[in-house]
């Protein structure tokens, strides 16, 4: 199962064999919540935080799979062990099925179930892109408003993020950073965002997922005595930033070097971003927030 191991509603299998019915609302309505935890050098990173966020997302969507958090923890270990991976991208999805025949066509009548899998580590931005700095742009498409769907519930409503990625492609950029209706920065396709201005690190206060890597960045800033502000970031201020970096589970801290075609600094990751990124991986190598994977499959 080295290409990927899966758990689907009670059974383990190679990932290629994990299939869901196309009539399930998870598929037809994007009625899914998920989380992703990383494994690096044989350790989960912030496993409890991911489990807590996953449970909060399921509760918010009124999904009640049969597995407890301890059982989910055991399954996460087991899929990584079955795949035999020391560096893994480990996804946990809770899917809504469909109401059984005869039941009202209402989500309350559709049971939910889990699909959990481990595959070899994935980088959101390839390492060479991280080294030269991401080229970012602000697209026309706006992020779905938090009043419509709470972005703190990790979800598959990616229509806006996907459109943003096509706008980025057309503009010759790597990734889009979406604004909200008020013109403030939110996040991108699978990552949170920070800017650095006059030595202060700034991140949006709303409209985005409460990323676990973002929380780690805030911890690193506190340890290093770097001032932080959590507040709205208007687009013009963002475009004039000294530095910008993004962060996510499948990538860590990913510096940018261009925004809307403007070169920041010397067209390479800025000093604060580079320092935080180096520190992040040093801390990871030293066992920061680490939980060793149990590789013995019983
Ligand atoms: N924002 C979005 C929309 C995401 O999908 C993700 C991760 O997939 C993030 C932010 C980063 O969150 P985390 O650091 O918890 O991986």
């Amino acid at each position: 199962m080295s290409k990927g191991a899966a758990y689907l509603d009670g059974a383990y299998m190679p990932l290629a064999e994990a299939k869901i019915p196309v009539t399930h609302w998870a598929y037809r309505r994007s009625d899914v919540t998920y989380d992703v935890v990383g494994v690096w050098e044989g350790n989960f990173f912030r496993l409890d935080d991911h489990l807590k966020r996953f449970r909060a997302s399921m509760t918010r969507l009124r999904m009640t799979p049969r597995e407890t958090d301890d059982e989910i923890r055991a399954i996460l270990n087991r899929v990584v062990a079955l795949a035999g991976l020391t560096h893994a991208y480990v996804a946990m999805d809770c899917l809504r099925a469909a109401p059984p025949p005869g039941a009202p066509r209402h989500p309350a009548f559709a049971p939910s179930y889990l699909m959990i899998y481990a595959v070899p580590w994935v980088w959101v931005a390839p390492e060479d892109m991280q080294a030269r700095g991401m080229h970012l742009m602000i697209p026309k498409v706006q992020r779905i408003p938090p009043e419509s769907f709470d972005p703190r519930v990790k979800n598959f409503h990616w229509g806006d993020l996907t459109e943003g990625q096509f706008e980025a492609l057309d503009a010759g950029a790597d990734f889009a950073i979406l604004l909200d209706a008020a013109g403030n920065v939110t996040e991108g396709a699978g990552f949170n965002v920070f800017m650095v201005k006059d030595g202060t690190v700034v991140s949006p206060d709303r409209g985005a997922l409460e990323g676990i890597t973002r929380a780690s960045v805030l911890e690193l800033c506190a340890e290093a005595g770097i001032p932080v502000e959590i507040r709205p970031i208007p687009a013009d201020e963002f475009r004039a930033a000294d530095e910008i970096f993004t962060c996510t589970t499948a990538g860590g801290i990913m510096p940018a070097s261009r925004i809307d075609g403007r070169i920041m600094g010397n067209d390479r990751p800025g000093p604060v971003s580079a320092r935080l990124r180096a520190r992040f991986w040093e801390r990871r190598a030293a066992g920061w927030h680490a939980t060793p994977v149990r590789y013995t499959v019983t």
Side-chain angles (χ1 to χ4, degrees), residues 34 53 154 158 187-188 190-192 209 211-213 247-249:
Y34 76 113
R53 186 173 68 182
K154 216 164 143 55
W158 269 50
E187 61 188 337
F191 50 79
N192 288 112
L209 180 72
I212 288 170
T213 322
C247 66
T248 187
T249 291

Side-chain angles (χ1 to χ4, degrees), residues 45-46 192-196 200-206 209-231 233 245-248 252-253 272 276-277 279-280 283 288-289:
F45 184 56
R46 304 193 79 134
N192 288 112
V193 65
F194 286 83
M195 71 165 198
V196 185
T200 297
V201 166
V202 190
S203 190
D205 58 343
R206 73 189 295 271
L209 180 72
E210 289 180 347
I212 288 170
T213 322
R214 177 177 179 273
S216 308
V217 169
L218 299 177
E219 274 178 34
L220 290 180
C221 289
E223 282 172 21
I226 299 172
V228 170
E229 290 175 7
I230 305 298
R231 61 165 172 83
I233 305 178
F245 61 89
T246 66
C247 66
T248 187
I253 295 173
V272 176
L276 286 169
R277 177 172 177 239
R279 190 80 187 121
F280 179 83
R283 297 296 307 272
W288 188 42
H289 293 302

Side-chain angles (χ1 to χ4, degrees), residues 99-105 109:
R105 284 185 69 75
F109 293 87

